[in-house]
């Protein structure tokens, strides 16, 4: 077995693809949280509060996933920002 066997590493796939993978994982977590909260048979005010907390957590996961998608799109977009740590170079 060599170091290249198995799933691709972040270095092999690139940072944008890594961010997209994290985004997909967060979206999957959000969906599982929503589904699990919906499947609970627990009733009462405590259950309602718990479901609200889980829904809030799922929303935060989905929001973070959107941020990773945006960052991946920005990395994939060609532009003059290389070597400037995100700042545009002054010309002229």
């Amino acid at each position: 077995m060599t170091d290249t066997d198995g799933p691709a590493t972040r270095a092999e796939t690139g940072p944008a693809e890594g961010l997209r993978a994290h985004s997909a994982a967060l979206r999957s977590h959000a969906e599982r949280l929503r589904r699990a909260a919906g499947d609970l048979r627990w009733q009462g005010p405590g259950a309602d509060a718990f479901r609200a907390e889980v829904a809030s957590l799922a929303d935060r996961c989905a929001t973070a996933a959107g941020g990773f998608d945006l960052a991946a799109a920005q990395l994939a977009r060609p532009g003059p920002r290389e070597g400037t740590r995100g700042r545009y170079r002054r010309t002229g």
Side-chain angles (χ1 to χ4, degrees):
M1 181 177 255
T2 67
D3 289 340
T4 58
D5 291 340
T9 64
R10 279 189 296 228
E12 293 169 338
T13 60
E17 288 81 7
L19 290 170
R20 287 186 194 100
H22 286 301
S23 173
L26 281 168
R27 288 185 197 286
S28 176
H29 290 314
E31 183 56 36
R32 284 198 319 263
L33 284 167
R34 287 185 181 108
R35 192 171 40 248
D39 289 346
L40 287 176
R41 297 188 192 277
W42 180 24
Q43 299 296 317
D48 294 340
F50 179 77
R51 283 186 188 90
E53 284 294 319
V54 171
S56 177
L57 178 59
D59 289 344
R60 290 193 307 265
C61 286
T63 298
F68 280 126
D69 286 336
L70 178 61
Q74 290 172 341
L75 280 173
R77 185 174 43 215
R81 67 184 184 278
E82 281 192 34
T84 61
R85 296 183 188 220
R87 296 181 202 107
Y88 290 97
R89 293 183 188 166
R90 295 175 78 181
T91 57

